[in-house]
Amino acid sequence: MIARPFSWIQPIGIRISAATNGNEAERGPVKSPGYVCERKDLLVNGCCNVNVPGTKQYCCDGCLTNGCCSAYEHCVSCCLQPNKQLLLERFLNRAAVAFQNLFMAVEDHFELCLAKCRTSSQSVQHENTYRDPIAKYCYGESPPELFPA
């Protein structure tokens, strides 16, 4: 059970401010509520220009049916789809015990997707290689498929 009130409405105007590696920084920011755009299409307030044809909401490009994606930004954007709420609620209820310190600190849907899509120990095998070297950012219930090393 979710321990405290949780907001499924994303605040407008929040973006991922720091990428964890150079590849993510090159692809462009994710915008709440789920917009992805190229850096050149950012407005002065840091939000994506939704009137540009390349801006996409709830972009799942490069995401597999298991919820694992090749780009962190697309993982977050896809995770923010309203139809993912039930999947995320199930995860939060189970995470209350297993990942209490990490996931019980998130306050809204956007923060949850940011945390879920980060690579974790579930994304790696033998502590040093990704289970799936391409689709390593996951919001789904299962870890990435195990590929032979």
Side-chain angles (χ1 to χ4, degrees):
M1 187 170 217
I2 299 173
R4 57 186 163 66
F6 188 87
S7 173
W8 291 104
I9 307 293
Q10 300 84 34
I12 302 298
I14 293 178
R15 71 183 181 108
I16 296 174
S17 58
T20 57
N21 68 42
N23 292 338
E24 291 169 12
E26 293 167 8
R27 287 192 185 97
V30 171
K31 299 301 302 169
S32 182
Y35 286 100
V36 178
C37 64
E38 294 185 30
R39 292 204 184 278
K40 67 179 180 63
D41 296 328
L42 285 174
L43 300 171
V44 292
N45 65 1
C47 294
C48 291
N49 181 349
V50 297
N51 298 316
V52 174
T55 297
K56 297 179 181 178
Q57 186 175 28
Y58 308 131
C59 178
C60 297
D61 295 353
C63 296
L64 305 175
T65 56
N66 68 354
C68 292
C69 309
S70 58
Y72 178 71
E73 293 84 355
H74 293 174
C75 180
V76 174
S77 182
C78 195
C79 176
L80 285 169
Q81 291 182 62
N83 66 357
K84 303 291 191 258
Q85 182 175 338
L86 219 55
L87 171 121
L88 294 168
E89 282 178 349
R90 281 195 310 266
F91 171 79
L92 274 178
N93 289 331
R94 286 193 322 267
V97 175
F99 300 102
Q100 185 173 1
N101 293 337
L102 176 61
F103 291 106
M104 296 316 289
V106 300
E107 295 184 2
D108 60 33
H109 190 174
F110 185 65
E111 286 183 10
L112 177 59
C113 290
L114 290 176
K116 277 288 288 169
C117 288
R118 288 188 187 104
T119 56
S120 70
S121 59
Q122 288 188 318
S123 298
V124 296
Q125 60 184 337
H126 311 302
E127 299 180 5
N128 63 359
T129 54
Y130 288 109
R131 293 173 61 99
D132 181 335
I134 297 171
K136 56 191 169 194
Y137 307 102
C138 302
Y139 63 84
E141 294 181 280
S142 303
E145 186 176 334
L146 183 60
F147 283 83

